[in-house]
Amino acid sequence: MTNWTEIDEIAKKWVREAGSRIKQSMQENLTIETKSNPNDLVTNIDKETERFFIDCIQQTFPGHRILGEEGQGDKLHSLDGVVWIIDPIDGTMNFVHQQRHFAISIGIFENGKGKIGLIYDVMQDELYHAFSGEGAYMNDTALPSLREVPIEEAIIAVNATWVTENRRIDPGILAPLVKRVRGTRSYGSAALELASVAAGRIDAYITMRLAPWDYAAGCILLNEVGGIYTTVEGEHFTFLDNHSVLAGNPAIHKIIFNDYLHADK
Ligand code: IPD
Ligand code: CA
Ligand code: CA
C-alpha cells in the first residue's frame, strides 16, 4: 500500500533541498536558452532541478511516474498509478531577470486524484502545501476556507498575454471586468498566482494557456480551501493537457464566468 505520509514528508524535504540548490546556483553564471519562442526561457538550473527530483523519485519510489516540464521524465498518456507533475522553476523569466518571484511546483496524483500539492516560493522561503482532505498550509500556518468577497472588492490576477493570444474569448470583455474589480495583478508565476488565490490574497486568476505542471499543485491547494477551477469554457481539468484556467473563490469564479466570459449566453 502507498505510504502517503512518507511521500509527503520526503517530497517536502526534497523541495526545500532543491530550493537551497537553486539559491546557491544564483551565485554562478546561468546558461539561458529559449524554447517555443524568444521569451520562453529555460536555464541550466531548470533542467538540473528537474533532474534532481527525477533522480530522487526514481531511487526512492521506482514505481512512480513523472511528468516534468523539461521533458526528462516519462511520456504520459494517463494518470494511472502515482504520478508526480513537476515544474522545477515556475516563473523562469522572473528567476532570470529578477532573481525572485519564482517557485518549485509539484502535484502528486494517485489514479488522477490530487493527493499532495507543493508550491515553494524559494526566495521568500514560503512553502505552500496541501494534503488531500487535511487542509492547506503556508509553512506552518493553516490557510482558511475562502470567504465570499464582493466583486467590487476583489483583486484578480490576469495574464495580459490573453489580450494578444486569445482567439476564443473577446479580449474586450477584460475592460469592464478590470473596471469593476478593486485591482489587478500579474506575478509571472502561475503557481504563485494559484497559491495566492488559495491563500485569499487574490480572489481569482485568469489565463489562457497553462500546462499541467503550471497548475497541478495549485489545484490541489485550491481543493482544500474551497477554491474552484475550470477552463474559461467551464470544462474540468484532465491534468494532462494545456488549456485556459479560471481559478478563484466560488463567488468570484461564478461572476467572472457568467457575467463576463459568457455574458452573451
Ligand atoms: C510560466 C509562468 C507564467 C505563465 C506561463 C508559464 P515557466 O511558466 O507560470 O506565469 O504565464 O504560461 O509558462 O515557463 O516560467 O515555467
Ligand atoms: Ca511553469
Ligand atoms: Ca518551468
Side-chain angles (χ1 to χ4, degrees):
M1 222 179 89
T2 310
N3 183 340
W4 283 101
T5 308
E6 182 198 6
I7 297 172
D8 189 42
E9 281 169 11
I10 205 161
K12 284 181 187 145
K13 183 173 136 299
W14 290 340
V15 164
R16 287 191 181 277
E17 192 178 329
S20 304
R21 286 166 173 246
I22 292 172
K23 267 189 179 165
Q24 271 171 20
S25 73
M26 291 166 82
Q27 321 296 329
E28 298 152 23
N29 283 337
L30 287 178
T31 307
I32 305 166
E33 294 169 291
T34 58
K35 295 194 284 187
S36 60
N37 66 64
N39 300 325
D40 186 7
L41 308 180
V42 62
T43 73
N44 56 314
I45 308 304
D46 296 64
K47 292 178 191 171
E48 284 166 26
T49 305
E50 182 176 276
R51 188 76 253 161
F52 165 79
F53 283 113
I54 292 173
D55 290 346
C56 290
I57 297 162
Q58 286 178 342
Q59 273 165 29
T60 313
F61 304 113
H64 293 189
R65 299 190 302 153
I66 303 158
L67 179 62
E69 173 169 19
E70 307 313 336
Q72 301 169 99
D74 302 299
K75 302 275 168 272
L76 295 191
H77 302 288
S78 82
L79 290 182
D80 294 347
V82 177
V83 175
W84 296 58
I85 303 184
I86 300 179
D87 193 335
I89 298 183
D90 181 64
T92 298
M93 198 186 291
N94 290 349
F95 173 62
V96 170
H97 286 262
Q98 306 177 344
Q99 295 80 49
R100 71 199 70 207
H101 304 315
F102 60 87
I104 297 168
S105 182
I106 298 185
I108 314 177
F109 290 73
E110 184 180 42
N111 297 320
K113 186 180 177 326
K115 296 288 287 187
I116 293 170
L118 302 171
I119 295 177
Y120 185 42
D121 182 332
V122 173
M123 303 312 283
Q124 293 291 326
D125 190 24
E126 289 179 344
L127 177 59
Y128 297 86
H129 55 103
F131 192 103
S132 169
E134 297 193 4
Y137 293 79
M138 194 282 284
N139 291 338
D140 294 332
T141 307
L143 302 181
S145 293
L146 297 179
R147 61 182 182 90
E148 200 169 320
V149 177
I151 186 86
E152 290 76 14
E153 292 175 19
I155 300 179
I156 57 170
V158 185
N159 184 330
T161 53
W162 92 336
V163 174
T164 54
E165 281 173 17
N166 176 45
R167 289 182 185 83
R168 282 170 304 180
I169 303 272
D170 174 8
I173 63 142
L174 191 60
L177 176 62
V178 167
K179 216 168 164 188
R180 190 166 171 203
V181 297
R182 180 162 276 171
T184 54
R185 297 290 183 269
S186 191
Y187 298 152
S189 158
L192 290 178
E193 277 153 321
L194 290 167
S196 299
V197 175
R201 294 195 199 121
I202 55 176
D203 304 296
Y205 171 52
I206 317 171
T207 189
M208 287 302 149
R209 196 159 181 277
L210 290 185
W213 40 81
D214 299 314
Y215 61 75
C219 291
I220 298 170
L221 289 171
L222 286 168
N223 288 344
E224 295 302 308
V225 293
I228 305 279
Y229 48 86
T230 63
T231 67
V232 295
E233 284 88 16
E235 297 141 344
H236 295 303
F237 295 180
T238 61
F239 295 96
L240 284 169
D241 304 303
N242 293 358
H243 50 66
S244 60
V245 169
L246 167 62
N249 91 35
I252 301 298
H253 182 283
K254 192 172 167 190
I255 292 173
I256 295 175
F257 189 85
N258 290 335
D259 297 359
Y260 293 92
L261 296 176
H262 300 282
D264 52 331
K265 289 181 191 135

